[in-house]
Amino acid sequence: MKRASFTEMNRILLIGATGRAGREIVAQLPAGGVRVRALVRNPQTAGLPPHVEVMRGDLTVPETLDECLTDIDSVFLVWTAPPGTVTPILERMARRARRIVFLSSPYKTQHPFFQQPNPIRGLHAEIERQIEGSGRQWTFLRPGMFAANALYWWEPQIRAGDVVRWPHLAAPTAPIDERDIAAVAVRALCEDGHDGKDYVLTGPDSLSQREQISILGDAIGRSLRIEEMPPEGAPEELLPFFPAFIAKMLLGAWAAALGQPAFVTSTVAEITGVPARTFREWSADHAARFRV
Ligand SMILES: NC(=O)c1ccc[n+]([C@@H]2O[C@H](COP(=O)([O-])OP(=O)(O)OC[C@H]3O[C@@H](n4cnc5c(N)ncnc54)[C@H](OP(=O)(O)O)[C@@H]3O)[C@@H](O)[C@H]2O)c1
């Protein structure tokens, strides 16, 4: 394993620094080790540490990238904005940055869970196509399910009572801790050897959704009643948790995942030298969020 070299000469622009992966990257880039700038839509509410230079910018307004890209070597890119400005944004990036690390998804992985119709895969494929054609160094990170989805999916129910209703409880995934996505991102941003690589990143264990909820219950010291939500009513019942198109996408992926273990890689350990964190570790470290 090669150690990441942190140098003031490496100037990094983070796009998505206020998001789940981005905040962990900020936490792992050492203050004083590299120069970190964050492009954010709202600097007043960004809540980033003082060593991060915060600049206003918006992926839907390409001109706002120009100042943010001044003197930047490496860019970390998350794209959750509408797709209309992908080309002008990536053109700007290609003119100014030497290296782009893009947070994508495992849509090329031949496992049924990752092969279902999904509007986001087309966007990720198009961004990757343009980055590959840019002549810049690039690395694509392809995480599976984020462990932090538990905060959006199950936290509201666990805080409200002891019953968690969810569809396809037998469907397995291998949730990855956002800190491990960030650890790989930091290396791709700070050390050589990752150009032209794409990394499928998962947690270490295939766990059914029922097992994941039960692990959360253990972490907070409560016995949760886990109820199967019938898939036919799920599109409506899931609306409080995510938009209808995400519900459709996830229901298809969970249904396809039934009956075989989740896809598990050891990429986090190979890149960082440290095994990926388990969902039990993630749950213990975030237990306070689930307590009333
Ligand atoms: N969740 C999963 O299980 C999973 C699995 C695989 C891949 N992914 C991929 O991971 C990505 C999401 O990563 P995440 O969860 O870390 O992000 P996130 O928590 O959803 O945060 C999105 C980030 O993008 C920023 N952003 C949104 N619109 C923007 C715009 N117009 N201009 C500039 N910045 C903008 C947000 O900044 P503001 O502060 O301005 O809102 C925020 O920092 C998605 O592409 C998703 O497909 C997710």
Side-chain angles (χ1 to χ4, degrees):
M1 186 213 14
K2 197 147 36 79
R3 287 191 62 77
S5 67
F6 299 110
T7 155
E8 285 261 333
M9 300 301 289
N10 189 2
R11 293 152 300 185
I12 296 172
L13 176 66
L14 301 177
I15 301 178
T18 58
R20 291 177 285 183
R23 283 199 188 277
E24 296 299 341
I25 295 175
V26 169
Q28 292 182 34
L29 283 169
V34 288
R35 281 160 60 186
V36 184
R37 180 180 294 159
L39 174 154
V40 301
R41 288 184 291 181
N42 189 342
Q44 279 70 45
T45 58
L48 293 167
H51 69 276
V52 175
E53 181 189 7
V54 176
M55 268 194 196
R56 187 187 299 278
D58 190 326
L59 290 171
T60 64
V61 188
E63 313 79 77
T64 63
L65 268 277
D66 292 334
E67 197 184 345
C68 298
L69 282 163
T70 303
D71 296 330
I72 286 297
D73 298 303
S74 307
V75 176
F76 174 77
L77 175 63
V78 167
W79 195 293
T80 59
T85 49
V86 164
T87 300
I89 293 283
L90 291 178
E91 281 171 0
R92 280 174 159 79
M93 239 174 245
R95 281 202 295 274
R96 311 293 276 278
R98 185 167 56 87
R99 173 187 284 171
I100 302 169
V101 177
F102 172 51
L103 181 60
S104 184
S105 52
Y107 67 89
K108 293 185 172 174
T109 297
Q110 292 306 313
H111 182 286
F113 183 71
F114 297 124
Q115 286 304 318
Q116 302 314 302
N118 166 352
I120 297 168
R121 61 192 297 147
L123 172 64
H124 286 171
E126 179 56 21
I127 293 174
E128 289 179 17
R129 192 186 65 75
Q130 295 197 26
I131 293 175
E132 283 169 330
S134 70
R136 304 293 93 187
Q137 293 181 22
W138 57 262
T139 309
F140 301 149
L141 308 182
R142 305 188 186 283
M145 279 290 174
F146 289 13
N149 290 333
L151 288 168
Y152 299 82
W153 298 352
W154 303 323
E155 187 223 68
Q157 297 188 69
I158 292 173
R159 287 173 73 90
D162 286 333
V163 179
V164 178
R165 280 175 63 76
W166 206 249
H168 296 306
L169 287 168
T173 61
I176 177 154
D177 192 309
E178 302 68 47
R179 293 170 293 187
D180 290 327
I181 302 172
V184 174
V186 165
R187 276 155 182 85
L189 288 163
C190 296
E191 68 184 24
D192 292 330
H194 303 287
D195 179 25
K197 301 278 175 60
D198 66 338
Y199 296 131
V200 179
L201 306 172
T202 73
D205 303 308
S206 171
L207 297 168
S208 70
Q209 300 201 93
R210 181 185 293 281
E211 287 170 318
Q212 292 172 38
I213 297 166
S214 167
I215 287 170
L216 273 172
D218 291 348
I220 58 175
R222 276 169 53 196
S223 170
L224 300 171
R225 206 169 79 230
I226 306 169
E227 287 181 2
E228 184 80 37
M229 185 190 286
E232 17 339 323
E236 286 72 42
E237 228 184 302
L238 289 172
L239 279 178
F241 305 106
F242 26 67
F245 83 96
I246 300 273
K248 188 167 174 241
M249 172 182 105
L250 287 171
L251 285 165
W254 288 323
L258 291 167
Q260 73 255 281
F263 190 80
V264 173
T265 71
S266 51
T267 312
V268 170
E270 286 154 22
I271 306 282
T272 67
V274 181
R277 292 170 176 86
T278 63
F279 188 67
R280 199 166 282 283
E281 283 174 273
W282 184 94
S283 301
D285 291 345
H286 295 80
R289 293 282 302 271
F290 293 84
R291 294 203 175 97
V292 182

